[in-house]
Short mmCIF file of all heavy atoms in Angstrom, two decimals:
data_model
loop_
_atom_site.label_atom_id
_atom_site.label_comp_id
_atom_site.label_asym_id
_atom_site.label_seq_id
_atom_site.Cartn_x
_atom_site.Cartn_y
_atom_site.Cartn_z
N TYR A 39 -27.76 48.93 -5.32
CA TYR A 39 -28.71 48.07 -6.02
C TYR A 39 -30.14 48.37 -5.57
O TYR A 39 -31.05 48.46 -6.40
CB TYR A 39 -28.38 46.60 -5.77
CG TYR A 39 -29.34 45.65 -6.40
CD1 TYR A 39 -29.34 45.46 -7.78
CD2 TYR A 39 -30.25 44.93 -5.65
CE1 TYR A 39 -30.23 44.59 -8.38
CE2 TYR A 39 -31.14 44.06 -6.23
CZ TYR A 39 -31.13 43.88 -7.60
OH TYR A 39 -32.01 43.03 -8.18
N MET A 43 -33.10 49.75 -7.93
CA MET A 43 -34.36 49.02 -8.12
C MET A 43 -35.58 49.85 -7.71
O MET A 43 -36.65 49.66 -8.27
CB MET A 43 -34.32 47.69 -7.37
CG MET A 43 -33.42 46.66 -8.03
SD MET A 43 -33.71 46.46 -9.81
CE MET A 43 -35.36 45.84 -9.83
N LEU A 85 -39.47 45.03 -14.78
CA LEU A 85 -38.80 44.69 -13.53
C LEU A 85 -37.80 43.55 -13.69
O LEU A 85 -36.72 43.58 -13.10
CB LEU A 85 -39.82 44.35 -12.44
CG LEU A 85 -40.57 45.54 -11.88
CD1 LEU A 85 -41.61 45.07 -10.87
CD2 LEU A 85 -39.62 46.53 -11.24
N LEU A 86 -38.16 42.55 -14.48
CA LEU A 86 -37.24 41.43 -14.69
C LEU A 86 -35.99 41.87 -15.43
O LEU A 86 -34.87 41.54 -15.04
CB LEU A 86 -37.94 40.30 -15.46
CG LEU A 86 -37.08 39.08 -15.74
CD1 LEU A 86 -36.73 38.37 -14.45
CD2 LEU A 86 -37.79 38.14 -16.69
N GLY A 87 -36.17 42.62 -16.50
CA GLY A 87 -35.01 43.09 -17.27
C GLY A 87 -34.09 43.99 -16.47
O GLY A 87 -32.88 43.81 -16.46
N THR A 88 -34.67 44.94 -15.77
CA THR A 88 -33.84 45.85 -14.99
C THR A 88 -33.25 45.16 -13.76
O THR A 88 -32.13 45.47 -13.36
CB THR A 88 -34.64 47.09 -14.55
OG1 THR A 88 -35.79 46.67 -13.80
CG2 THR A 88 -35.07 47.92 -15.73
N GLY A 89 -33.97 44.20 -13.19
CA GLY A 89 -33.45 43.46 -12.04
C GLY A 89 -32.24 42.62 -12.42
O GLY A 89 -31.23 42.60 -11.70
N LEU A 90 -32.31 41.93 -13.54
CA LEU A 90 -31.18 41.11 -13.98
C LEU A 90 -29.98 41.98 -14.35
O LEU A 90 -28.83 41.64 -14.04
CB LEU A 90 -31.58 40.23 -15.15
CG LEU A 90 -32.56 39.10 -14.80
CD1 LEU A 90 -33.01 38.39 -16.06
CD2 LEU A 90 -31.94 38.13 -13.82
N MET A 91 -30.22 43.08 -15.01
CA MET A 91 -29.12 43.98 -15.35
C MET A 91 -28.52 44.59 -14.09
O MET A 91 -27.30 44.73 -13.97
CB MET A 91 -29.62 45.07 -16.30
CG MET A 91 -28.55 45.74 -17.07
SD MET A 91 -27.80 44.54 -18.18
CE MET A 91 -26.26 45.31 -18.43
N GLY A 92 -29.37 44.94 -13.14
CA GLY A 92 -28.89 45.47 -11.87
C GLY A 92 -28.05 44.45 -11.11
O GLY A 92 -27.05 44.80 -10.48
N LEU A 93 -28.43 43.17 -11.18
CA LEU A 93 -27.63 42.14 -10.52
C LEU A 93 -26.27 41.97 -11.18
O LEU A 93 -25.28 41.67 -10.51
CB LEU A 93 -28.38 40.81 -10.51
CG LEU A 93 -29.51 40.71 -9.49
CD1 LEU A 93 -30.27 39.41 -9.67
CD2 LEU A 93 -28.97 40.83 -8.08
N ALA A 94 -26.20 42.16 -12.48
CA ALA A 94 -24.90 42.10 -13.17
C ALA A 94 -24.00 43.23 -12.67
O ALA A 94 -22.81 43.02 -12.41
CB ALA A 94 -25.09 42.20 -14.67
N TYR A 95 -24.55 44.43 -12.53
CA TYR A 95 -23.77 45.55 -11.99
C TYR A 95 -23.42 45.32 -10.52
O TYR A 95 -22.33 45.63 -10.09
CB TYR A 95 -24.52 46.87 -12.15
CG TYR A 95 -24.52 47.37 -13.56
CD1 TYR A 95 -25.69 47.48 -14.28
CD2 TYR A 95 -23.34 47.74 -14.19
CE1 TYR A 95 -25.69 47.95 -15.59
CE2 TYR A 95 -23.32 48.19 -15.49
CZ TYR A 95 -24.50 48.30 -16.18
OH TYR A 95 -24.50 48.75 -17.45
#
Side-chain angles (χ1 to χ4, degrees):
Y39 178 73
M43 287 311 296
L85 286 177
L86 180 66
T88 57
L90 290 174
M91 199 66 202
L93 284 174
Y95 286 115

